[in-house]
Amino acid sequence: MIQDIETPSEEFFNIHGRLLYAPGPTMVPPRVLQAMSKQIINPDLDPDFPNWLLETSRLVGKIIKTKNEVLILPGEGMLALDAALNSVIKPNDEVLVLASGIFGHGFADMVKNCRGKPIVVATDGYDEVLSVEKVKEALDNHPNITAITLVHCETPSGTLNPLKEICKVCQKSDAITIVDAVSSNGGTDILTDEFGIDINLGASQKVFSAPPGIAFMSLSERAIEVINERESIPTFYSDLSVWTKSWIKNRSLPFTHSISDLYAFRESVEIILEEGLENGFRRHKRISKAIIAAGQAMGLELYPKKNDYVSPTVTAFKVPTGIDFEKLMLLMWKKYGVLIAGAWGPVLGGRVLRLGNMGFGANPQFALIALAALEKSLKDFGFQIKLGAANEAFWENY
Amino acid sequence: MIQDIETPSEEFFNIHGRLLYAPGPTMVPPRVLQAMSKQIINPDLDPDFPNWLLETSRLVGKIIKTKNEVLILPGEGMLALDAALNSVIKPNDEVLVLASGIFGHGFADMVKNCRGKPIVVATDGYDEVLSVEKVKEALDNHPNITAITLVHCETPSGTLNPLKEICKVCQKSDAITIVDAVSSNGGTDILTDEFGIDINLGASQKVFSAPPGIAFMSLSERAIEVINERESIPTFYSDLSVWTKSWIKNRSLPFTHSISDLYAFRESVEIILEEGLENGFRRHKRISKAIIAAGQAMGLELYPKKNDYVSPTVTAFKVPTGIDFEKLMLLMWKKYGVLIAGAWGPVLGGRVLRLGNMGFGANPQFALIALAALEKSLKDFGFQIKLGAANEAFWENY
């Protein structure tokens, strides 16, 4: 019987590695790791580098369906958020902050930090998605806003906001739309130009499944104008005008780029395009559907209120009553070699568990390993469970 | 005869790679590349990660001889500079800027950008190093300064400022000393604590010879106090109080760290310590001396006014009259597969050529390849030269 099989020792996992099944950083495909181990070139001096980087940014543009400039920055996703807000928002600017979870509300703090004035449109709970009607109302009531922030995939709650519909409403405003699609870019169809997104933010370690260290963003002409017109900001590293003036204008870099991270990121971009965008989106959808069913089959309740709210890149379930999530996570990690995530903060901390079915992780093999480890761990904690039920439900719904 | 040997085609170099001999990013040792190609862990969730990162920062502390906290940041060296200045300097603060070259003067612009007031003490030319006497005078004349900035190795001019002597004078002031030792940390003995440096800034791609993408800095207790006491700054990515509050206080990270870059950086740190600090410093000294002699033997004039001013990590020669540096660089790159650097700006642009004898590059094999390519390229341009003279002088002085 499956429960009699001796699990590997922690030493085994230390040597051979574990499965990352948290919503980013994800496992990195072997091809990407190999690309990363190439000898570096000098990005400041190599005469071929600017073209290669430009080509890379255009390939990213294909994935997020934009003809706009795509900046690729040496830093974590947070750098893209920080740089976009600091470079666009002037002191006392009114900014419409659309918030359906931790990250959405986080934007309000960042806007305040930029000395802007956040006007927050929020959902009642983190298990919901934004109401297009409420956004419309807020836009009518606040005609002077200069920017709108929206988180597409609320990674901590596993929800996906109705981007297309919200953007349609926002297009009537002159405000710069700043969309955090860090956990959805590449995993679901985002038509940046058609939706009218001025700034679409992404990062390497989510659906792209490259190591963390690269952030990117598309910039509409209007966004570039706004960035260039405003007075300089105190920080250099987060000042996008440094990039518009040196990279966009002259194709020269303001400082040394992270070349090994770029090798990895470029390989990830190639992999996404080789698979075909539609194939990738479909793969995420299928995995998501199968994982929801598998989780429910083992007795877990989905965190988002409706299946329609679930992001195809991350699945959040409620932690069953009586289970200490930290202990569950550690058991899965130490005994079964699988890493899943919880969340944090007063609403979600200890209350949800999350599977990161994004990018390289959106495949049946990895999903089933993670589900089996979760099922067995829950049973180890005395949770009523029929081993194998998840597996069966997975395949029935895949 | 050596000049009859057919040089490899550009295709050969495209496939097999070239030698980087610019002052950073340098070639990355195979061990470091291998470390980088390991599957990643999740730095946000892996329970063992904080200890590993702390251990890494303490090993860096051994290299720069400090018991202070060492922050390791996900970004380029510029991030460390930007974050240190923005987090320490308050609007209207008077900052003493010690400037002997492009980077030194650059600090004045960054201080202005932070809304601080730079008081510049400069050398007459970029071929000189700072006068301790002048620094002393400035300190006496400006008792209200809150910070002092100093660039140890002026990479663009290849000079090394008398750090120990300047720091001794600065210790009499309460101001926070911010030292950019990005191109010298690890390559020459910097006793951070003994010299009384509050913030010592470094980066992965110079002497450490890891790929670009990691910045680091030591922070004295006083620096941490100053950072924690001031009001929050608009940027998140460059705000060191975010790191003092989350990493230094709780050993938790404010956002996802660049784990692959950290793998590489850690391996580089281990390599430096395995070699032994004194051995490494001596190696840099020997290579520097031999390269100076080799360059002079091929008829080049050293850019720094005196041999004593030369940094052991980078050697700057004047570009001979009549030679277009851009063309020389491209010839060396395309025909002989070696990358050297020039410099930029009104003082140095087109006027100096630089060899990056730092870190992995500070070895006779690489140095001789670079010197041979330089010698032959100069001859190709009609410069009067006796092939092999550099080689002879190199060994005589090594």
Side-chain angles (χ1 to χ4, degrees):
Chain A
M1 282 188 346
I2 192 167
Q3 54 266 60
D4 293 330
I5 297 171
E6 206 187 321
T7 54
S9 64
E10 203 186 329
E11 283 66 40
F12 174 88
F13 292 126
N14 283 343
I15 295 162
H16 295 276
R18 290 167 166 91
L19 176 71
L20 305 187
Y21 216 69
T26 66
M27 298 291 280
V28 175
R31 254 180 70 180
V32 175
L33 292 172
Q34 203 178 0
M36 191 164 217
S37 70
K38 250 193 319 196
Q39 182 56 262
I40 68 168
I41 54 98
N42 184 310
D44 298 325
L45 300 172
D46 185 332
D48 298 325
F49 177 74
N51 275 336
W52 181 86
L53 183 59
L54 188 62
E55 195 177 65
T56 306
S57 72
R58 290 193 175 140
L59 294 176
V60 176
K62 279 191 183 186
I63 296 172
I64 61 171
K65 303 199 172 165
T66 183
K67 288 193 167 26
N68 288 338
E69 280 285 344
V70 175
L71 285 185
I72 301 179
L73 305 177
E76 206 257 344
M78 184 53 78
L79 174 62
L81 273 68
D82 190 49
L85 294 186
N86 270 289
S87 304
V88 165
I89 299 165
K90 295 182 296 297
N92 299 316
D93 273 3
E94 286 186 2
V95 177
L96 191 66
V97 173
L98 309 179
S100 62
I102 296 176
F103 287 171
H105 285 280
F107 265 133
D109 295 329
M110 290 178 82
V111 167
K112 268 186 234 161
N113 223 25
C114 298
R115 321 304 187 220
K117 292 177 179 168
I119 295 158
V120 179
V121 172
T123 52
D124 289 335
Y126 289 5
D127 50 0
E128 291 174 37
V129 297
L130 283 156
S131 141
V132 180
E133 205 43 54
K134 271 195 184 173
V135 175
K136 203 168 168 294
E137 229 171 78
L139 281 165
D140 289 340
N141 293 338
H142 302 279
N144 296 324
I145 53 160
T146 57
I148 302 168
T149 69
L150 169 65
V151 176
H152 186 206
C153 170
E154 257 296 341
T155 331
S157 6
T159 56
L160 195 76
N161 277 305
L163 182 64
K164 186 182 174 174
E165 293 75 13
I166 293 174
C167 284
K168 204 170 176 180
V169 173
C170 293
Q171 280 201 39
K172 284 168 196 152
S173 156
D174 275 344
I176 297 290
T177 46
I178 301 172
V179 176
D180 169 353
V182 169
S183 286
S184 53
N185 271 325
T188 187
D189 206 7
I190 300 180
L191 294 86
T192 303
D193 290 351
E194 204 182 302
F195 295 177
I197 301 169
D198 290 300
I199 307 185
N200 178 352
L201 308 167
S204 55
Q205 79 269 27
K206 303 290 182 179
V207 180
F208 285 69
S209 295
I214 295 291
F216 64 85
M217 67 174 85
S218 67
L219 291 177
S220 68
E221 278 179 35
R222 181 121 172 69
I224 293 172
E225 258 171 47
V226 167
I227 291 162
N228 286 339
E229 276 165 9
R230 70 165 300 179
E231 64 165 8
S232 82
I233 60 174
T235 176
F236 184 83
Y237 210 76
S238 286
D239 185 354
L240 292 179
S241 77
V242 167
W243 288 85
T244 54
K245 284 167 199 162
S246 68
W247 173 249
I248 295 184
K249 204 170 160 208
N250 298 315
R251 300 302 172 203
S252 84
L253 291 170
F255 45 85
T256 307
H257 217 308
S258 301
I259 182 66
S260 297
D261 289 315
L262 288 174
Y263 283 156
F265 183 61
R266 170 64 176 258
E267 194 70 20
S268 303
V269 166
E270 304 265 8
I271 288 174
I272 290 176
L273 291 169
E274 277 175 36
E275 180 183 18
L277 294 178
E278 298 309 321
N279 293 334
F281 300 151
R282 201 178 311 119
R283 174 167 57 83
H284 279 86
K285 254 331 236 185
R286 288 181 76 181
I287 285 283
S288 167
K289 195 167 143 259
I291 287 178
I292 293 171
Q296 287 170 335
M298 68 173 95
L300 294 174
E301 197 181 332
L302 201 57
Y303 176 72
K305 264 194 182 161
K306 295 184 184 175
N307 281 26
D308 279 359
Y309 295 170
V310 178
S311 172
T313 53
V314 46
T315 320
F317 293 105
K318 291 182 187 170
V319 174
T321 317
I323 299 247
D324 177 329
F325 175 73
E326 280 301 311
K327 284 185 186 160
L328 177 72
M329 191 198 105
L330 275 177
L331 181 79
M332 281 186 70
W333 175 247
K334 300 263 177 199
K335 195 165 167 194
Y336 302 107
V338 174
L339 187 71
I340 63 165
W344 62 97
V347 179
L348 299 176
R351 295 208 178 88
V352 302
L353 62 88
R354 298 182 297 146
L355 302 176
N357 41 285
M358 52 174 64
F360 188 35
N363 74 69
Q365 290 84 350
F366 286 0
L368 286 166
I369 295 170
L371 288 163
L374 176 57
E375 195 178 54
K376 183 64 168 66
S377 300
L378 285 168
K379 196 175 172 83
D380 288 354
F381 270 105
F383 192 64
Q384 286 290 339
I385 218 156
K386 193 189 158 298
L387 293 175
N391 192 299
E392 193 185 352
F394 183 93
W395 287 121
E396 271 172 7
N397 289 275
Y398 181 68
Chain B
M1 277 179 7
I2 193 168
Q3 53 266 62
D4 294 329
I5 297 170
E6 205 188 322
T7 54
S9 65
E10 204 186 328
E11 283 65 42
F12 173 89
F13 291 126
N14 283 344
I15 296 162
H16 295 277
R18 289 167 167 91
L19 176 71
L20 304 186
Y21 217 69
T26 67
M27 299 290 280
V28 176
R31 254 180 72 179
V32 175
L33 292 172
Q34 202 179 0
M36 190 163 218
S37 70
K38 251 193 319 195
Q39 183 55 265
I40 69 168
I41 55 99
N42 185 310
D44 298 325
L45 300 171
D46 185 330
D48 298 325
F49 178 74
N51 274 337
W52 182 86
L53 183 60
L54 188 61
E55 194 177 65
T56 306
S57 72
R58 291 195 174 141
L59 294 176
V60 176
K62 277 192 184 185
I63 296 173
I64 61 172
K65 302 196 172 167
T66 183
K67 288 194 164 28
N68 289 337
E69 280 285 342
V70 175
L71 285 184
I72 300 178
L73 305 177
E76 206 257 345
M78 185 53 79
L79 174 62
L81 272 66
D82 191 48
L85 293 186
N86 270 289
S87 305
V88 165
I89 298 165
K90 295 182 295 296
N92 299 316
D93 272 4
E94 286 186 2
V95 177
L96 191 66
V97 173
L98 310 180
S100 60
I102 296 176
F103 288 171
H105 284 280
F107 264 134
D109 295 330
M110 292 179 81
V111 167
K112 270 186 232 160
N113 223 26
C114 297
R115 322 305 187 217
K117 292 179 179 166
I119 295 158
V120 180
V121 172
T123 52
D124 289 333
Y126 288 6
D127 50 0
E128 291 173 39
V129 296
L130 283 155
S131 139
V132 180
E133 205 43 53
K134 272 195 183 173
V135 175
K136 202 168 170 297
E137 232 172 75
L139 283 165
D140 289 341
N141 292 338
H142 302 279
N144 296 325
I145 53 161
T146 57
I148 302 167
T149 69
L150 169 65
V151 176
H152 185 206
C153 171
E154 257 298 341
T155 331
S157 4
T159 56
L160 194 77
N161 277 306
L163 182 64
K164 185 181 174 176
E165 292 75 13
I166 293 175
C167 284
K168 203 168 175 181
V169 173
C170 293
Q171 281 201 36
K172 284 168 196 152
S173 157
D174 275 345
I176 297 288
T177 46
I178 302 173
V179 176
D180 168 353
V182 169
S183 287
S184 52
N185 271 324
T188 187
D189 206 7
I190 300 180
L191 293 87
T192 302
D193 291 351
E194 204 182 303
F195 294 177
I197 301 169
D198 291 299
I199 306 186
N200 178 352
L201 308 167
S204 54
Q205 79 268 30
K206 304 290 181 178
V207 178
F208 286 69
S209 295
I214 294 291
F216 64 84
M217 67 175 86
S218 67
L219 292 176
S220 68
E221 277 179 36
R222 180 123 170 67
I224 294 172
E225 258 172 47
V226 167
I227 290 162
N228 287 338
E229 277 166 10
R230 68 167 299 180
E231 64 165 8
S232 81
I233 59 173
T235 177
F236 184 82
Y237 211 76
S238 286
D239 185 353
L240 291 179
S241 77
V242 167
W243 288 86
T244 54
K245 284 166 198 160
S246 69
W247 173 249
I248 295 184
K249 204 170 159 206
N250 298 316
R251 299 301 171 205
S252 83
L253 291 171
F255 46 85
T256 307
H257 217 307
S258 301
I259 182 66
S260 298
D261 288 316
L262 288 175
Y263 283 157
F265 183 61
R266 170 63 176 260
E267 194 70 19
S268 302
V269 166
E270 304 265 7
I271 289 174
I272 290 175
L273 291 170
E274 277 174 36
E275 179 183 19
L277 294 177
E278 298 308 320
N279 293 333
F281 301 152
R282 202 178 312 120
R283 174 167 56 83
H284 280 84
K285 255 329 234 185
R286 286 181 77 182
I287 285 284
S288 167
K289 196 168 142 258
I291 288 178
I292 293 171
Q296 288 171 334
M298 68 173 95
L300 294 173
E301 198 182 331
L302 201 58
Y303 175 71
K305 264 193 184 163
K306 296 185 185 173
N307 282 28
D308 279 359
Y309 295 170
V310 178
S311 172
T313 53
V314 46
T315 320
F317 293 105
K318 292 182 187 169
V319 174
T321 317
I323 299 246
D324 177 329
F325 175 72
E326 280 302 311
K327 286 185 184 159
L328 177 73
M329 192 198 105
L330 276 176
L331 180 80
M332 281 185 69
W333 174 248
K334 301 262 178 199
K335 196 166 168 196
Y336 302 106
V338 173
L339 187 72
I340 63 163
W344 61 95
V347 179
L348 298 177
R351 295 207 180 89
V352 301
L353 62 86
R354 297 182 298 147
L355 302 175
N357 41 283
M358 52 175 63
F360 189 35
N363 73 70
Q365 290 84 350
F366 287 0
L368 285 167
I369 294 169
L371 288 164
L374 176 57
E375 194 178 55
K376 183 64 168 64
S377 301
L378 286 169
K379 195 174 174 82
D380 289 353
F381 271 104
F383 192 65
Q384 285 291 336
I385 217 156
K386 193 190 158 298
L387 293 176
N391 192 299
E392 193 187 352
F394 182 93
W395 287 121
E396 272 173 7
N397 288 277
Y398 182 69

